[in-house]
Amino acid sequence: MDIDPDDLFRDEDDDQDNDYYQHSNYGKEMVVYLVDASPKMFNSVSVSADEKEETHFHTAVSCISQSLRTQIINRANDEVAICFYNTKEKKNLQDLSGVYVSNVAEREDLDRPTTRLVKNLLV
């Protein structure tokens, strides 16, 4: 009896005859940004040119904001979520303490990157 290990351990998603494989959106990415919001993240790192104090947290949020802007322009069908951990408040489907999901707490689906999402992140 010959057993083909490639066939034995093959993932069903690799089957090109599989309906899901044929209908899935290959160009779509689902991204979850995970940001530490512990007190250490709010220690001052430097002072910027406009005399504004920079922290690790603000740098992370700024990078996420820039990434979302790029996604809005280049990949509007992508889906994103922004999750903060080590927070005082909690907002998530599992009701976990210290976890705040900013844009998908009421449902399981991720959001598309929008200007509203960027604006809410920076406020």
Side-chain angles (χ1 to χ4, degrees):
M1 176 165 107
D2 293 330
I3 297 176
D4 182 14
D6 291 333
D7 189 46
L8 184 64
F9 295 107
R10 189 182 81 234
D11 191 1
E12 290 178 7
D13 292 340
D14 293 339
D15 183 9
Q16 293 187 5
D17 294 330
N18 186 340
D19 288 335
Y20 178 77
Y21 186 82
Q22 291 177 354
H23 299 325
S24 64
N25 188 353
Y26 299 111
K28 182 178 186 176
E29 290 184 5
M30 296 181 185
V31 180
V32 176
Y33 296 99
L34 188 60
V35 181
D36 185 3
S38 64
K40 293 186 293 185
M41 290 291 288
F42 291 92
N43 291 340
S44 178
V45 176
S46 65
V47 177
S48 63
D50 60 351
E51 300 295 321
K52 188 175 180 182
E53 190 174 306
E54 290 287 323
T55 66
H56 293 294
F57 182 82
H58 292 105
T59 301
V61 169
S62 175
C63 290
I64 292 170
S65 172
Q66 185 60 42
S67 176
L68 289 173
R69 287 181 187 133
T70 303
Q71 283 181 306
I72 290 169
I73 296 168
N74 297 330
R75 303 177 60 98
N77 290 329
D78 287 358
E79 295 183 6
V80 298
I82 304 166
C83 179
F84 300 95
Y85 65 98
N86 291 330
T87 60
K88 291 180 183 176
E89 295 181 33
K90 64 179 176 180
K91 179 182 167 189
N92 59 77
L93 289 173
Q94 293 77 22
D95 203 31
L96 301 170
S97 62
V99 177
Y100 188 93
V101 181
S102 69
N103 61 322
V104 291
E106 299 83 29
R107 61 196 189 288
E108 293 183 15
D109 298 330
L110 302 178
D111 274 345
R112 288 205 166 111
T114 62
T115 54
R116 177 188 52 81
L117 180 60
V118 173
K119 182 180 174 183
N120 290 342
L121 179 64
L122 295 175
V123 172

